[in-house]
Amino acid sequence: MEALGSIGAGVAVAVENLFPPIPSEVVLPLAGFTASQGSIVLWEVLVWTTVGSVVGALALYGLGAWLGPVRLRRIVDRMPLMKVSDVDRTDEWFARHGSKAVFFGRMIPIFRSLISIPAGVQRMPLVRFTLLTAAGSAIWNTVFVLAGYLLGEQWQSIEQYADGLQVVVVAAVIVAVTVFVVMRVRQRASATGSAEERATAAESSSDAAPADAQGAHGTMEG
């Protein structure tokens, strides 16, 4: 961290936005600890890490803007268990809660990076997106940098709490995805069953029609 300096810490945070496995929860406290040793300046760390967060978020925003709603619908339409209507519902939700999602999403592991993509797809006004990202990132970065600064050589103890938070988020995502898959599979099975019942009923009706006609013909002859 002494070799990277404040700007290097900002670059590391920017890269973390693009590649979430790089843990900002380790970079930020370490930067705070280094600042407590006088090797780098605290306020510079806070500024540059926030700038790095914004730069990384803007890159993913650009990806979402390039993807766009039309291309996204085409991709979703080819995915198993997904419906184009899922994109429409997501668009409606983001239109109502997008600002809160971007701001608070900057403080949630995993979503901190991913939330920028739907913002780009929806073409959220760039100024609003940048300000909300900067505000949310500044809070998140400040908490971890100051924790490392105040804890000093014990800065690594922050990692266990950050890991715990990430486990909770990942577990919630797994549960949500599992519930979604189970519900969608059941819907598909129900739809398939209904279609088979209608087909069977149609075949029965078509088989019964000639018999009825033959019976009617025999009655007329009699």
Side-chain angles (χ1 to χ4, degrees), residues 13-86:
V13 171
V15 173
E16 182 262 346
N17 278 266
L18 302 176
F19 303 99
I22 297 177
S24 65
E25 293 86 350
V26 174
V27 174
L28 295 172
L30 178 56
F33 165 66
T34 307
S36 71
Q37 303 301 303
S39 301
I40 54 178
V41 181
L42 179 62
W43 70 266
E44 290 182 354
V45 172
L46 296 175
V47 170
W48 282 109
T49 53
T50 300
V51 169
S53 297
V54 172
V55 170
L58 287 174
L60 292 177
Y61 177 96
L63 174 62
W66 170 82
L67 188 62
V70 175
R71 188 177 283 110
L72 179 61
R73 284 179 171 84
R74 291 174 182 170
I75 295 173
V76 169
D77 191 42
R78 299 173 183 173
M79 296 175 64
L81 301 180
M82 296 292 292
K83 300 179 181 178
V84 175
S85 59
D86 295 330

Side-chain angles (χ1 to χ4, degrees), residues 92-105:
E92 293 173 0
W93 182 89
F94 199 87
R96 294 194 303 269
H97 308 289
S99 295
K100 291 181 288 187
V102 170
F103 176 74
F104 291 106

Side-chain angles (χ1 to χ4, degrees), residues 103-158:
F103 176 74
F104 291 106
R106 303 306 307 175
M107 305 176 221
I108 302 176
I110 301 175
F111 289 99
R112 184 168 60 252
S113 299
L114 299 180
I115 194 62
S116 302
I117 297 177
V121 172
Q122 283 286 312
R123 296 296 180 94
M124 172 183 281
L126 191 58
V127 173
R128 185 198 307 172
F129 173 80
T130 302
L131 291 176
L132 290 170
T133 298
S137 299
I139 294 174
W140 175 266
N141 294 348
T142 299
V143 167
F144 279 87
V145 171
L146 288 182
Y149 184 88
L150 296 174
L151 288 174
E153 294 183 357
Q154 301 300 317
W155 67 270
Q156 291 180 336
S157 62
I158 302 170

